[in-house]
Amino acid sequence: MTRPSPAVGYNHASPMDQGVAPMARKNELKEKFWDVLANERTVMLACTGVYPRPMTAMVENGRGPVWFFTAGHNDLAQACARRVQQGLLVMASRDHALFATVGGALRQDNDPAVIDRLWNPFVAAWYSGKDDPELRLLRFEPDAGELWENGSSLLAGAKMLLGIDPKRAYKDKVAKVKLGR
């Protein structure tokens, strides 16, 4: 089967191949990521060999590490008990204005001082206390990721109807970023 030749002037590359957002825009997207993560807190978390599952993220001081309370029988806790794992955090803001996929190191870190700092009534509801033998604290050290601002809107649709290439406007809404320290 032969492929039709591309239309003149049409670029078939994905928005990520069009170039990356300027540094100021990357920093803005990173700030949005940390704000959404700190305020909304629900993510999908996975590691090597463990399927993603919904988890509640806790961030201190607006930056990583990202902390997760879980139980010892949870597959993530079991995988991280043996060694540090390659983790994957996937997030979509409630309003679907921001999406993120972030990789990094995931490990168990049952530091009593951190458990004390992060302990709150919502966490307490799941355990018999801070010394519950099932309690595990996972530490995710974000490294790099991709952030996307939602480019699907009525405005984007209107631009398409007017013959304006939506990919040009979208390229500043996508960024490969470094989130680690």
Side-chain angles (χ1 to χ4, degrees), residues 13-165:
S14 76
M16 282 305 294
D17 296 332
Q18 305 275 326
V20 294
M23 185 56 73
R25 188 71 181 119
K26 281 185 177 187
N27 289 337
E28 182 183 330
L29 288 171
K30 285 168 41 173
E31 288 302 316
K32 284 183 180 185
F33 166 77
W34 288 114
D35 288 345
V36 169
L37 186 61
N39 291 310
E40 297 186 15
R41 299 172 44 171
T42 301
V43 302
M44 295 294 286
L45 186 65
C47 72
T48 306
V50 179
Y51 289 112
R53 60 208 52 231
M55 299 287 286
T56 301
M58 301 178 89
V59 180
E60 298 179 286
N61 306 316
R63 292 285 180 271
V66 183
W67 302 96
F68 301 91
F69 282 93
T70 192
H73 64 272
N74 178 296
D75 289 344
L76 287 169
Q78 290 179 2
C80 294
R82 295 184 291 277
R83 68 182 197 278
V84 175
Q85 297 287 333
Q86 175 62 42
L88 180 68
L89 179 151
V90 179
M91 179 189 79
S93 64
R94 284 186 197 120
D95 62 2
H96 294 147
L98 184 71
F99 300 90
T101 303
V102 179
L106 182 66
R107 67 174 176 266
Q108 259 190 54
D109 184 347
N110 298 317
D111 182 340
V114 177
I115 292 171
D116 252 3
R117 258 193 344 261
L118 299 175
W119 194 259
N120 65 57
F122 301 105
V123 173
W126 290 90
Y127 304 98
S128 61
K130 295 175 190 175
D131 58 351
D132 186 321
E134 273 294 295
L135 185 143
R136 301 293 185 278
L137 186 62
L138 301 180
R139 176 186 183 124
F140 178 71
E141 292 284 351
D143 181 27
E146 292 190 38
L147 308 177
W148 299 267
E149 263 188 323
N150 191 346
S152 301
S153 68
L154 289 174
L155 182 59
K159 284 181 178 181
M160 283 179 33
L161 290 174
L162 295 172
I164 300 170
D165 185 355

Side-chain angles (χ1 to χ4, degrees), residues 155-176:
L155 182 59
K159 284 181 178 181
M160 283 179 33
L161 290 174
L162 295 172
I164 300 170
D165 185 355
K167 292 183 296 302
R168 281 202 176 116
Y170 191 71
K171 74 177 182 178
D172 287 344
K173 296 181 182 295
V174 179
K176 290 184 179 183

